[in-house]
Amino acid sequence: LDDLVESGGGTVQAGGSLTLSCDVYVTTNCMGWFRQAPGKEREDVAVIYTEDRTIEYNKDVKERFTIFQDSRENTMTLQMNSLKPTDAAMYYCAARLGRDRWACLTRDPDRFAYWGQGTQVSVSP
């Protein structure tokens, strides 16, 4: 059984919307979305520290993307609006253990130990 399972990727035209979902099977208070485009390093998209529901976004997606965590359903979603070709990437959900709020909100992928397999998002011009 995988710890995190993403779904919802696909192809959309620029300006369109997609919603990604992540089923979370680890007990965590820090989870987030990351992405990696070909030839680029993995980068943060958004993270949420669930104890106080603090959310941090990458500046490139703020105002366009919304992260949401449903603790009852153990799911996390990423609503992506006004998509741009530069948003195209493999998107991963991730989680870290521990109660280090600062470490969570750094959005450093190296601090996240649990990763899903990824879901591809493509955006046509």
Side-chain angles (χ1 to χ4, degrees), residues 8 11 32 80-81:
T11 300
M80 304 185 294
N81 297 326

Side-chain angles (χ1 to χ4, degrees), residues 8-48:
T11 300
V12 65
Q13 284 191 324
S17 298
L18 276 175
T19 301
L20 306 182
S21 294
C22 177
D23 293 328
V24 182
Y25 297 104
V26 294
T27 301
T28 177
N29 51 24
C30 175
M31 59 185 75
W33 290 95
F34 297 79
R35 67 186 181 187
Q36 187 167 19
K40 294 189 176 182
E41 291 187 355
R42 190 170 296 189
E43 65 174 359
D44 66 287
V45 176
V47 299
I48 180 168

Side-chain angles (χ1 to χ4, degrees), residues 69-90:
Q69 180 247 351
D70 186 336
S71 58
R72 294 169 300 176
E73 300 292 332
N74 293 326
T75 61
M76 178 177 62
T77 60
L78 184 69
Q79 175 65 43
M80 304 185 294
N81 297 326
S82 303
L83 281 159
K84 306 175 182 179
T86 51
D87 293 317
M90 185 71 79

